[in-house]
Amino acid sequence: ARSNSRANRSATTDFPDACTPTTSQTSPLIQPFSFSNDLVDSMRSPMKKPTRLRDKSSATFYRQFMEVVPCFSPQGFLSETASYRGLDPIRTNVMGSIAVSVSLDARSYDAYWWWLVKDNDGVVIGASLRTAPYGLQIGPMPVEAASLLAESVARDDDEFPWLSGPEELVTAFLESYRVSHSPGSSRNALRGRTNLIYELGDLVVPEVEGSCRVATMDDFDLVDQWSSDFHFFVDGVARETDERDRAFLIARLKEGAMSLWCVRDVVVSMAGHSSPVATPSGLVTRIGPVFTPAENRGRGYGSAVTACLSATLLGRGSRVMLYTDADNPTSNGVYQRIGFHLIDNVVQYDLVEAG
């Protein structure tokens, strides 16, 4: 197996909250350059795509004034990225909810990696994380920042199994990763699923038979089985739950994070939500999973339980969002009909051994 030059950060090891630089990319011979103008403004605008500099020489100059900074705890990551996430709380929500759940001990993983990209004024202009055994999440950032990030990931975590993010950033990352010549960079990158990001606008509550209730510990076995069925439905691969999965589900049930749709006291559909993420621009909560067994589909139960949970989250003052598979027109239509509107999409690439 390949070994990284930086040891994996154990899920059970305590680390300082600080995020500290490793190798600075700034040049002492050139006056400090600020990223506070058009380039970063473009990156920070919620509805704009990442900006690429127009020529190679400019890109080289640009990269002289960034550094990739590792964090060693979810608390440090959340603190350092607060303003950055506040500029785009929807696209950064997955990273935020993962960090929140880990910081609250609601979820544990094999190992963690947290990276920031800062300009030479110390402003965070990009962020990324990975929780093993899962893949790399790339947040909004300038395209050249994604290239620089790849160099650090190749050094720190060369065995990531997949990566997900905005397509232009993923492409730039993979281009830079290939030329790093790390052992992992020889793997083939195969395009996988495209996920669509939706945010709730005006909620439309459908008229569907039944009623909604919050799942309790008495529903553990059903919700556990349906959670496994959901992952099989999405990924096409059977997934056995382990003790950490069960502990996470227990925490979600105790938090009231799972809702059930019932018809004549029979549970027919479920929806859950991730840890709410507080940002300087407000609270954001992501819905998921949403699952209806095959025998109950086509009756509106999924839309009903999603609308019910959405109403609860709106009542708590949270913006509401979710992800869907771009290749599933049924689920996309369901969410659009109850008030969700498309924000953006992210792509996933799987890294597989050549040959």
Side-chain angles (χ1 to χ4, degrees):
R2 292 182 297 271
S3 61
N4 298 329
S5 61
R6 186 182 305 274
N8 286 5
R9 294 166 184 126
S10 167
T12 59
T13 303
D14 291 331
F15 289 97
D17 289 348
C19 303
T20 56
T22 50
T23 302
S24 173
Q25 303 297 320
T26 59
S27 169
L29 302 178
I30 305 176
Q31 293 299 313
F33 175 74
S34 174
F35 286 82
S36 61
N37 296 319
D38 292 343
L39 197 59
V40 168
D41 289 343
S42 173
M43 181 275 292
R44 289 171 172 170
S45 174
M47 298 308 295
K48 291 185 179 180
K49 296 292 184 181
T51 301
R52 179 184 289 275
L53 294 182
R54 297 301 178 187
D55 61 82
K56 186 175 181 179
S57 61
S58 295
T60 301
F61 175 80
Y62 179 83
R63 292 180 63 210
Q64 289 179 325
F65 299 95
M66 287 184 283
E67 61 180 352
V68 177
V69 179
C71 282
F72 301 103
S73 75
Q75 294 87 354
F77 182 84
L78 288 168
S79 176
E80 290 270 3
T81 61
S83 295
Y84 159 80
R85 290 183 292 106
L87 293 166
D88 199 342
I90 298 299
R91 292 179 180 86
T92 61
N93 176 264
V94 169
M95 294 190 298
S97 65
I98 291 172
V100 168
S101 66
V102 173
S103 69
L104 296 175
D105 292 325
R107 191 73 188 263
S108 63
Y109 300 90
D110 296 341
Y112 314 106
W113 293 264
W114 322 84
W115 295 275
L116 311 178
V117 184
K118 292 185 176 183
D119 67 17
N120 67 325
D121 290 327
V123 176
V124 174
I125 58 172
S128 179
L129 64 78
R130 184 166 94 85
T131 53
Y134 303 105
L136 184 72
Q137 302 283 347
I138 300 177
M141 63 182 70
V143 174
E144 285 73 24
S147 299
L148 191 62
L149 172 67
E151 298 174 6
S152 291
V153 173
R155 180 183 65 247
D156 297 345
D157 178 28
D158 199 26
E159 298 182 348
F160 65 95
W162 50 264
L163 71 160
S164 176
E167 183 157 19
E168 190 172 17
L169 299 184
V170 169
T171 299
F173 179 99
L174 288 172
E175 290 173 353
S176 180
Y177 183 56
R178 289 189 192 99
V179 300
S180 73
H181 302 299
S182 68
S185 67
S186 64
R187 293 175 293 171
N188 293 325
L190 304 181
R191 182 168 181 142
R193 185 170 59 244
T194 297
N195 285 321
L196 304 181
I197 306 173
Y198 283 90
E199 182 179 6
L200 181 62
D202 295 327
L203 178 62
V204 178
V205 178
E207 295 185 4
V208 177
E209 179 187 12
S211 60
C212 189
R213 69 172 175 85
V214 176
T216 69
M217 285 300 300
D218 291 338
D219 302 300
F220 178 89
D221 290 339
L222 176 66
V223 176
D224 184 39
Q225 182 60 56
W226 281 6
S227 296
S228 296
D229 294 344
F230 168 80
H231 288 292
F232 180 78
F233 178 76
V234 171
D235 300 325
V237 178
R239 176 182 167 188
E240 293 292 331
T241 56
D242 58 21
E243 286 304 316
R244 288 186 298 188
D245 293 325
R246 286 186 279 274
F248 181 55
L249 178 55
I250 289 171
R252 298 185 86 179
L253 290 171
K254 289 181 176 179
E255 293 169 2
M258 304 297 297
S259 294
L260 304 174
W261 193 261
C262 305
V263 177
R264 294 182 293 277
D265 295 325
V266 176
V267 181
V268 294
S269 186
M270 76 169 188
H273 68 78
S274 61
S275 298
V277 179
T279 76
S281 56
L283 192 67
V284 179
T285 309
R286 188 177 71 258
I287 287 180
V290 177
F291 181 75
T292 305
E295 64 272 18
N296 297 332
R297 292 174 194 159
R299 299 179 175 90
Y301 300 147
S303 61
V305 72
T306 303
C308 174
L309 180 55
S310 296
T312 298
L313 296 174
L314 289 173
R316 297 173 183 169
S318 178
R319 294 167 67 177
V320 182
M321 62 169 293
L322 52 77
Y323 279 67
T324 69
D325 185 344
D327 292 331
N328 188 332
T330 300
S331 63
N332 282 277
V334 164
Y335 298 132
Q336 290 170 10
R337 285 192 290 274
I338 63 174
F340 285 87
H341 57 272
L342 182 65
I343 296 295
D344 205 347
N345 66 77
V346 294
V347 298
Q348 177 174 318
Y349 277 79
D350 300 313
L351 278 295
V352 298
E353 297 292 345

